[in-house]
Amino acid sequence: MGATGSMKIRQDNDLYATVLGQDETVKHELKPHRHAYVQVARGSVKLNGTTLETGDGAEISEEKALQLVGVKDAEVLLFDLV
């Protein structure tokens, strides 16, 4: 059940949020048959070597691991999905 003003997500997912400074790194392993969606809320990051800026999103399939590296101070959401 969602809280007041929240959005319900009707899918098997795990949601992660991170704040990254310049050159800070976080890694996420995807289990088999899982996908991911990354949304950059603020700043700039490199996702497996590809630069994403504020407002950018990326759908990821057929990857075993994700690496996010801060380029400019960033806030990022990562959805781990079926």
Side-chain angles (χ1 to χ4, degrees), residues 2 4-5 11 20 28-29 37 41 43 45 54 60-61 73-74 78 80:
T4 302
Q11 184 171 355
L20 295 171
H28 180 76
E29 302 286 328
Y37 180 80
V45 297
T54 300
I60 298 99
S61 294
D73 290 344
L78 187 152
D80 182 324

Side-chain angles (χ1 to χ4, degrees), residues 49-77:
T50 299
T51 302
L52 301 175
E53 304 285 342
T54 300
D56 287 346
E59 295 178 26
I60 298 99
S61 294
E62 300 181 20
E63 292 285 341
K64 293 180 181 178
L66 305 177
Q67 178 173 292
L68 290 163
V69 179
V71 175
K72 287 193 292 189
D73 290 344
E75 294 179 37
V76 181
L77 297 175

Side-chain angles (χ1 to χ4, degrees), residues 11-56:
Q11 184 171 355
D12 176 4
N13 84 92
D14 293 317
L15 173 60
Y16 301 91
T18 189
V19 175
L20 295 171
Q22 185 174 354
D23 296 324
E24 290 185 317
T25 301
V26 66
K27 294 180 181 177
H28 180 76
E29 302 286 328
L30 289 170
K31 293 179 182 169
H33 311 294
R34 304 275 303 175
H35 309 278
Y37 180 80
V38 173
Q39 180 69 47
V40 181
R42 179 180 62 87
S44 178
V45 297
K46 285 195 179 212
L47 169 62
N48 288 3
T50 299
T51 302
L52 301 175
E53 304 285 342
T54 300
D56 287 346

